[in-house]
Amino acid sequence: MTTILSRRTPPSPGDDGAAFGGVSAMFGMVRRSNHATALAGWIVATGAMGLAVQADTIRTAGETPYGGALLAALAPVLVAGTVTVALLVRANRLTSFAQERFYRFIAEIPGDAPELCAPAVLQLQRLTAAVRHRETLTQQALTWAYVAGVGALGWSAAAEAMAFGH
């Protein structure tokens, strides 16, 4: 007795190679963008925790001779962190929308249609394009996260040096 995996008609020749190539490329892009997303999120979260720990330094910086400069140096760090988060949210929304559209398309395919018919391949290409755009956005977010992380580290070092009067 054999197990039937699908009751749909087999795909037409030629469609399967393009579709499977697109899917494998998409998985590679998702893996890379997931790593970038995790690292960018970790950098921004660590920087935010570091600044939260130094909340007292931020609050009292205005009372020191160079406190205004120290507070002004904090602004680019906060902007870089905000840009990172905005890019990550945008990337998530983009792929969530494309994935939802793809699942809706799959649910509406009649049972007797070929699995890899031309409209399905088109939907896979659209999903792949969305994932490619997500990868670009997450790489940009990672770059901004590096800026935010280095900025937070530099700001912390400057605040430490000012606290000890160097």
Side-chain angles (χ1 to χ4, degrees), residues 57-63 66-76 78 155 162:
T57 303
I58 295 169
R59 190 174 40 79
T60 59
E63 302 167 4
Y66 297 107
L70 187 63
L71 289 176
L74 188 57
L78 296 176
W155 188 88
M162 287 177 68

Side-chain angles (χ1 to χ4, degrees), residues 9-130:
T9 59
S12 61
D15 283 348
D16 55 350
F20 291 125
V23 169
S24 65
M26 186 172 51
F27 284 138
M29 287 182 281
V30 167
R31 185 177 56 252
R32 286 188 301 272
S33 63
N34 283 347
H35 291 149
T37 299
L39 185 56
W42 177 80
I43 291 169
V44 170
T46 302
M49 286 187 296
L51 292 176
V53 167
Q54 296 178 356
D56 192 45
T57 303
I58 295 169
R59 190 174 40 79
T60 59
E63 302 167 4
T64 61
Y66 297 107
L70 187 63
L71 289 176
L74 188 57
V77 174
L78 296 176
V79 168
T82 303
V83 169
T84 301
V85 171
L87 285 169
L88 292 176
V89 167
R90 184 173 167 210
N92 182 49
R93 284 185 183 157
L94 176 76
T95 50
S96 294
F97 176 72
Q99 186 179 14
E100 182 180 309
R101 200 171 58 204
F102 180 72
Y103 287 151
R104 202 173 322 125
F105 171 80
I106 295 298
E108 294 171 357
I109 292 179
D112 59 345
E115 289 178 334
L116 296 175
C117 59
V121 172
L122 178 64
Q123 287 296 326
L124 276 174
Q125 289 171 342
R126 288 179 180 161
L127 184 59
T128 302

